[in-house]
Every structure is written in structure tokens, then in C-alpha cells.
């Protein structure tokens, strides 16, 4: 298996060399090629840093959404309880009349 991987890497390397030759990069001096390699490495490092920052930022945002979901669930439950209590505490329509309330006050006195 190791030999197969080595062959695959070798084939990829040959393809890259052929690609560079066809692009005219083979005519560049070794110094220019090493500068280009250094530039590409810097670009890769920059991308890696950006991805790390993005990952940290996304984790923070995800944590905020989790907190929002928990709070929303609590508020929803409290609202449901409130609506249930107000529905249970409503007097029937006939008991809400002014005359019925006056009778109830007299009874309580």
C-alpha cells in the first residue's frame, strides 16, 4: 500500500512538473521559483489563520443561538402557563355582569 501511495505521489509530482513546463514556469530561475513557493506558503498560512478565526467566530455564534433557543423555550413555556391560568381564572360570562358582582359583594358582606 505504501508503494501505491508513493507511485501516486510520484505521478502527481510528474504531472505538476509537466504543468509547470507547459506554463512556461520552467524558464524561471530557481530563486524566482523559491520566492513563488514562499509566497504560496504565506498565502496558505494566511488562509489557515482565516479559517481558524472563522471557526472561532462560528462557535461563538452557535453558542449564542443555543442560549437563544433555551431562553425562547423558557419564555414560550411561561407564556403557555400564563394563557392557561388566565383562561382558567375567567369567570363565566353570566358571572361577569355588574348585577352579579353586586350580589356577590352583598353576599360577602
Amino acid at each position: 500500500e505504501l508503494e501505491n501511495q508513493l507511485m501516486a505521489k510520484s505521478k502527481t509530482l510528474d504531472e505538476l512538473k509537466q504543468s509547470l513546463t507547459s506554463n512556461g514556469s520552467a524558464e524561471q530561475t530557481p530563486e524566482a521559483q523559491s520566492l513563488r513557493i514562499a509566497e504560496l506558503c504565506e498565502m496558505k498560512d494566511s488562509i489557515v489563520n482565516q479559517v481558524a478565526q472563522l471557526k472561532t467566530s462560528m462557535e461563538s455564534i452557535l453558542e449564542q443561538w443555543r442560549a437563544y433557543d433555551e431562553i425562547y423555550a423558557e419564555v414560550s413555556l411561561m407564556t403557555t402557563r400564563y394563557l392557561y391560568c388566565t383562561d382558567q381564572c375567567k369567570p363565566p360570562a353570566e358571572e361577569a355582569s355588574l348585577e352579579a358582582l353586586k350580589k356577590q359583594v352583598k353576599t360577602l358582606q
Side-chain angles (χ1 to χ4, degrees), residues 2 10 14 23-24 37 43-44 59 63 67 90 97 106:
L2 190 56
S10 179
D14 289 339
N23 289 335
I37 290 171
M43 291 170 67
K44 181 193 77 100
E59 287 172 353
E63 186 59 37
K90 280 187 201 173
S97 71
K106 284 183 183 179

Side-chain angles (χ1 to χ4, degrees), residues 69-88:
D69 284 341
E70 290 175 12
I71 292 169
Y72 180 82
E74 288 178 33
V75 169
S76 179
L77 180 63
M78 291 168 56
T79 303
T80 303
R81 286 180 180 166
Y82 167 77
L83 292 173
Y84 176 79
C85 288
T86 55
D87 189 50
Q88 295 299 314

Side-chain angles (χ1 to χ4, degrees), residues 19-109:
S19 173
L20 285 174
T21 304
S22 66
N23 289 335
S25 297
E27 298 171 6
Q28 291 182 353
T29 62
E31 293 83 15
Q33 288 178 348
S34 65
L35 287 174
R36 180 70 178 144
I37 290 171
E39 182 182 322
L40 290 173
C41 288
E42 286 178 21
M43 291 170 67
K44 181 193 77 100
D45 291 342
S46 173
I47 291 171
V48 167
N49 288 336
Q50 289 175 4
V51 168
Q53 290 173 352
L54 183 60
K55 185 177 177 183
T56 302
S57 176
M58 291 301 291
E59 287 172 353
S60 171
I61 290 169
L62 192 61
E63 186 59 37
Q64 290 173 0
W65 273 109
R66 281 190 201 110
Y68 169 81
D69 284 341
E70 290 175 12
I71 292 169
Y72 180 82
E74 288 178 33
V75 169
S76 179
L77 180 63
M78 291 168 56
T79 303
T80 303
R81 286 180 180 166
Y82 167 77
L83 292 173
Y84 176 79
C85 288
T86 55
D87 189 50
Q88 295 299 314
C89 295
K90 280 187 201 173
E94 64 272 359
E95 292 181 16
S97 71
L98 183 60
E99 293 302 319
L101 291 174
K102 285 181 183 178
K103 286 181 185 176
Q104 190 176 12
V105 168
K106 284 183 183 179
T107 303
L108 290 173
Q109 289 175 346

